[in-house]
Amino acid sequence: MVKREAFGPEFRWGVATSAYQIEGAVREDGRGPSIWDTFAHAPGRIKTGENGDVACDFYHRYAEDIALIRSLNFQAHRFSLAWPRILPEGRGRVNPKGLDFYHRVIDRTLELGLEPWVTLYHWDLPQALEDQGGWTNRAIVDWFAAYVEVCARAFGDRVRHWMVLNEPTVFTVLGYLQGKHAPGRRGLANFLPAVHHAALAQAEGGRALRACVPGAVVGTTFSASYVQAAGPTWLSRMAAAHYDAVANRLFLEPALGLGYPWNSAPFLHLLRRYIRPGDLERLAFDFDFIGLQTYFRQLVRFDPLQLGTWAQEVPHEARGGELTAMGWEVWPENLYLLLKQFAAYPKVRRIVVTENGMALLDTPEGDRVHDPRRIAFIEAHLAQLLRAKQEGVPVEGYFYWSFLDNFEWAEGYRPRFGLVYVDYPTQRRIVKDSGRWFQAFLG
Ligand code: IFM
């Protein structure tokens, strides 16, 4: 049984959310449309046909919701700013009411003694910018830096902890290569420029923050999955190395000044088409912390039809272990192995687990939601985190994803990740047993 004391007094405990997944109020107070509004309203894009128009109605309920975070004894509140609420056209005109909303959220967070941890980009790109090419247009590097500057100047007096991007590999692979997420583009001709511009924006965003907010603690977050070869053959190991380069190293290594991992996945040399003189140096930024976000490992086998990575994922359901409502295998050692992998880079000075959590199909029984599987998931992952920490990995925080059940992108509202159950028709909140578990653990 893990105990809070074992993590030390400096360790940060928090919960995480993102704007489009919880706020709702998509047409209120001057917010402009985002690519997720467009995508979710297009037929067939979201499995359940749902959208984020109302979501958890956090826009109107933020004061009570933040109080709920406090009541669970967390110290930190991670949330994202919606770019189209602040700059409805993505650039130029600032929407004062958009800024006001986040002033209120930040003030409420601080008033309750919680630290605000702010993500600048959690996937809700202004539609007006997508209409000009979105992440495939190199101008986005400047658009993004200008947006970061607006946010830094508005909130930098009260926000110390910042994260520039949320999971760039996920939004470029799913949004620009596979078309499963907004904006629904496909193919390398979209993916490769989106990768390079997001990697540049990641570093430029860090520089913009540092320039505007003295004393800011600047991070960025990466999706990660520990990659294992499904078989002992050379081909299987080669496929795993290619997959690892894309899944875990694509954005991390350029930020660390190591460039793109094209020696491990040669198809990434195609990125050179988008790289201009000086870019490779501009990709580096000395982040104060690296946000590690993980949910499952990847087991891969060689597949000659998977051009580029040569890797095919072994289906999670074929692995024989417990599955979450996302169909993801539960394998807690993944967190330990990834922490070790990330900590092996000399330039990674501090790591914060900025997301980790389990989706279930929770159902309330009266005013209780019993979720023992989620409690077991959390305990097992915290034990693995502690194992890494005790072996010297500089991991300094854990944020559970997510505070509330919310809009799980293309999956709609069916998988529930929250510590707090949301009854969407009434917007009633019920603290699940896992939320009560955290309350006692942190209390
Ligand atoms: O809900 C997402 C979040 O937006 C980004 N990281 C993974 C979570 C679960 O899929």
Side-chain angles (χ1 to χ4, degrees):
M1 192 72 108
V2 284
K3 290 258 187 302
R4 180 196 181 157
E5 296 70 55
F7 295 80
E10 303 303 323
F11 196 83
R12 279 286 162 277
W13 298 95
V15 283
T17 59
S18 88
Y20 188 73
Q21 293 179 274
I22 63 166
E23 284 179 3
V26 293
R27 281 175 280 276
E28 256 177 81
D29 292 338
R31 175 186 178 277
S34 81
I35 54 174
W36 271 96
D37 298 290
T38 311
F39 189 78
H41 280 273
R45 297 299 209 169
I46 310 299
K47 285 187 187 155
T48 55
E50 295 162 319
N51 57 59
D53 286 6
V54 178
C56 307
D57 196 28
F58 180 79
Y59 193 75
H60 300 110
R61 295 167 195 266
Y62 70 90
E64 298 88 333
D65 281 341
I66 299 169
L68 199 49
I69 299 177
R70 184 69 203 93
S71 76
L72 298 182
N73 291 326
F74 286 100
Q75 304 157 306
H77 172 207
R78 177 182 174 216
F79 58 94
S80 77
L81 307 177
W83 186 345
R85 221 181 259 296
I86 293 174
L87 294 163
E89 291 88 32
R91 56 196 174 117
R93 186 177 64 90
V94 176
N95 174 27
K97 290 190 172 172
L99 290 181
D100 281 352
F101 171 62
Y102 294 112
H103 280 306
R104 294 196 297 277
V105 169
I106 291 164
D107 288 346
R108 179 72 173 152
T109 300
L110 290 167
E111 172 192 315
L112 290 166
L114 292 162
E115 283 177 354
W117 286 54
V118 170
T119 314
L120 286 151
Y121 184 74
H122 199 128
W123 307 357
D124 42 0
L125 184 71
Q127 181 62 43
L129 298 185
E130 174 60 22
D131 296 342
Q132 297 163 68
W135 287 102
T136 67
N137 184 340
R138 190 178 166 97
I140 198 163
V141 180
D142 294 334
W143 300 335
F144 182 69
Y147 157 66
V148 172
E149 235 182 275
V150 170
C151 300
R153 291 196 194 289
F155 310 124
D157 58 339
R158 282 152 301 146
V159 174
R160 234 182 124 230
H161 296 91
W162 298 84
M163 284 144 287
V164 177
L165 296 182
N166 188 74
E167 299 183 346
T169 307
V170 175
F171 78 74
T172 52
V173 169
L174 295 183
Y176 287 83
L177 180 66
Q178 299 179 346
K180 294 179 183 170
H181 274 192
R185 297 192 191 211
R186 289 169 200 271
L188 286 181
N190 287 309
F191 174 64
L192 294 168
V195 165
H196 185 52
H197 302 146
L200 280 172
Q202 175 175 264
E204 292 300 342
R207 278 187 276 277
L209 273 171
R210 192 114 329 131
C212 301
V213 188
V217 180
V218 183
T220 194
T221 77
F222 300 109
S223 52
S225 283
Y226 190 73
V227 181
Q228 293 176 315
T233 62
W234 179 82
L235 281 173
S236 192
R237 281 186 278 116
M238 183 273 289
H242 280 63
Y243 193 97
D244 182 53
V246 177
N248 297 321
R249 300 168 52 198
L250 183 56
F251 287 91
L252 172 64
E253 293 194 0
L256 298 178
L258 302 171
Y260 290 112
W262 42 44
N263 291 339
S264 305
F267 86 97
L268 292 175
H269 280 293
L270 294 171
L271 281 164
R272 289 184 190 279
R273 179 179 305 177
Y274 306 97
I275 297 176
R276 299 207 186 146
D279 277 7
L280 290 176
E281 293 73 40
R282 276 177 81 196
L283 290 170
F285 180 74
D286 187 20
F287 285 102
D288 295 306
F289 72 94
I290 295 299
L292 169 59
Q293 314 202 150
T294 191
Y295 293 85
F296 50 82
R297 70 168 162 173
Q298 270 310 355
L299 203 54
V300 301
R301 64 165 72 98
F302 171 70
D303 179 349
L305 299 180
Q306 302 298 321
L307 300 181
T309 61
W310 315 111
Q312 178 68 260
E313 296 162 16
V314 175
H316 290 229
E317 57 278 13
R319 302 180 191 176
E322 181 186 1
L323 297 179
T324 74
M326 294 293 283
W328 295 341
E329 179 197 25
V330 177
W331 204 76
E333 200 176 5
N334 166 59
L335 179 56
Y336 166 81
L337 293 166
L338 281 173
L339 284 165
K340 298 287 275 192
Q341 180 172 335
F342 274 46
Y345 292 98
K347 284 200 176 156
V348 171
R349 288 182 278 125
R350 292 157 68 189
I351 306 174
V352 176
V353 177
T354 39
E355 280 188 27
N356 175 241
M358 182 189 212
L360 292 168
L361 305 177
D362 303 296
T363 40
E365 292 170 33
D367 59 359
R368 295 295 294 262
V369 177
H370 301 300
D371 56 348
R373 290 178 58 201
R374 183 175 286 110
I375 295 173
F377 177 99
I378 295 165
E379 285 194 302
H381 282 79
L382 291 182
Q384 294 294 336
L385 186 153
L386 194 55
R387 181 179 163 206
K389 189 168 163 55
Q390 286 169 344
E391 289 177 19
V393 170
V395 51
E396 300 190 353
Y398 178 89
F399 285 70
Y400 181 81
W401 180 273
S402 182
F403 162 48
L404 298 170
D405 293 338
N406 59 48
F407 180 70
E408 180 52 28
W409 309 113
E411 306 297 316
Y413 292 95
R414 189 168 173 272
R416 292 175 177 270
F417 277 93
L419 297 176
V420 174
Y421 182 90
V422 178
D423 179 51
Y424 294 107
T426 62
Q427 290 295 345
R428 180 175 170 224
R429 273 64 167 147
I430 304 173
V431 177
K432 300 180 193 176
D433 286 356
S434 54
R436 293 165 184 253
W437 180 90
F438 259 119
Q439 189 175 43
F441 175 80
L442 298 174

Coordinates of all heavy atoms in Angstrom, one line a residue, residues 12 55 57 75 77 116 179 194 227 263 283-284 296 351 365 373 379:
R12 N 4.2 17.2 -6.0 CA 3.0 17.8 -6.3 C 1.9 16.8 -6.7 O 2.1 16.0 -7.6 CB 3.2 18.8 -7.5 CG 3.8 20.1 -7.2 CD 2.7 20.9 -6.5 NE 3.3 22.0 -5.8 CZ 3.9 22.0 -4.5 NH1 3.9 20.8 -3.9 NH2 4.4 23.0 -4.0
A55 N -20.6 19.9 -22.8 CA -19.6 19.1 -22.1 C -20.0 19.1 -20.6 O -21.1 18.8 -20.2 CB -18.2 19.7 -22.3
D57 N -20.0 21.8 -18.7 CA -20.5 23.1 -18.4 C -19.6 23.8 -17.4 O -20.0 24.6 -16.6 CB -21.9 23.1 -17.8 CG -22.6 24.4 -17.8 OD1 -22.3 25.3 -18.7 OD2 -23.5 24.7 -17.0
Q75 N -3.4 19.7 -4.6 CA -2.7 20.9 -4.4 C -2.6 21.7 -5.7 O -2.3 22.9 -5.7 CB -1.2 20.7 -4.0 CG -1.0 19.9 -2.8 CD 0.3 19.2 -2.8 OE1 0.7 18.6 -3.8 NE2 1.1 19.5 -1.8
H77 N -4.1 22.4 -9.9 CA -5.2 22.3 -10.8 C -4.6 22.6 -12.2 O -4.3 23.7 -12.5 CB -6.2 23.4 -10.4 CG -7.3 23.6 -11.4 ND1 -8.0 24.8 -11.5 CD2 -7.9 22.7 -12.3 CE1 -8.9 24.7 -12.4 NE2 -8.9 23.4 -12.9
P116 N -2.3 26.9 -10.0 CA -2.7 26.8 -11.4 C -1.6 26.2 -12.2 O -0.5 26.8 -12.2 CB -3.2 28.2 -11.8 CG -2.5 29.1 -10.9 CD -2.1 28.4 -9.6
G179 N -6.3 11.1 -39.6 CA -7.6 11.7 -39.8 C -8.7 11.3 -38.7 O -9.9 11.5 -38.9
A194 N 3.2 19.4 -40.2 CA 2.5 19.7 -38.9 C 3.5 19.3 -37.8 O 3.7 20.1 -36.8 CB 1.3 18.8 -38.8
V227 N 7.8 0.9 -25.3 CA 7.7 0.0 -26.5 C 8.5 -1.3 -26.3 O 9.7 -1.2 -25.9 CB 8.1 0.7 -27.7 CG1 7.9 -0.2 -28.9 CG2 7.3 2.0 -27.9
N263 N 17.7 8.8 -37.3 CA 18.6 7.6 -37.5 C 17.9 6.4 -37.0 O 18.2 5.3 -37.5 CB 19.9 7.8 -36.7 CG 20.7 8.9 -37.3 OD1 20.5 9.3 -38.5 ND2 21.6 9.5 -36.5
L283 N 14.8 24.4 -32.6 CA 13.9 23.4 -32.1 C 14.2 23.1 -30.6 O 13.4 22.6 -29.9 CB 14.1 22.0 -32.8 CG 13.6 22.0 -34.2 CD1 14.1 20.7 -34.9 CD2 12.1 22.0 -34.2
A284 N 15.4 23.6 -30.2 CA 15.8 23.3 -28.8 C 15.3 24.3 -27.8 O 15.3 25.5 -28.1 CB 17.4 23.2 -28.7
F296 N -0.6 3.3 -21.4 CA -0.4 1.9 -21.7 C 1.0 1.7 -22.3 O 1.6 2.7 -22.8 CB -1.5 1.4 -22.6 CG -1.7 2.3 -23.8 CD1 -0.9 2.2 -24.9 CD2 -2.7 3.2 -23.8 CE1 -1.1 3.0 -26.0 CE2 -2.9 4.1 -24.9 CZ -2.1 4.0 -26.0
I351 N 10.9 15.7 -14.1 CA 9.8 15.1 -14.8 C 8.5 15.2 -13.9 O 8.6 15.0 -12.7 CB 10.0 13.6 -15.1 CG1 11.3 13.3 -15.8 CG2 8.8 13.0 -15.9 CD1 11.7 11.9 -16.0
E365 N -24.6 4.3 -8.1 CA -25.6 3.6 -7.3 C -26.0 4.5 -6.2 O -25.3 4.8 -5.3 CB -25.0 2.3 -6.6 CG -24.7 1.2 -7.7 CD -23.8 0.1 -7.1 OE1 -24.0 -0.2 -5.9 OE2 -23.0 -0.4 -7.8
R373 N -11.7 -0.8 -9.5 CA -10.6 -1.1 -10.5 C -9.8 0.2 -10.7 O -8.6 0.1 -10.9 CB -11.3 -1.5 -11.8 CG -11.9 -2.9 -11.7 CD -12.5 -3.3 -13.0 NE -11.6 -3.2 -14.1 CZ -12.0 -3.1 -15.4 NH1 -13.2 -3.0 -15.7 NH2 -11.1 -3.1 -16.4
E379 N -3.2 3.0 -7.5 CA -2.3 2.5 -6.5 C -1.1 1.8 -7.2 O 0.1 2.0 -6.8 CB -3.0 1.5 -5.5 CG -3.8 2.2 -4.5 CD -4.2 1.3 -3.4 OE1 -4.9 0.3 -3.6 OE2 -3.9 1.7 -2.2

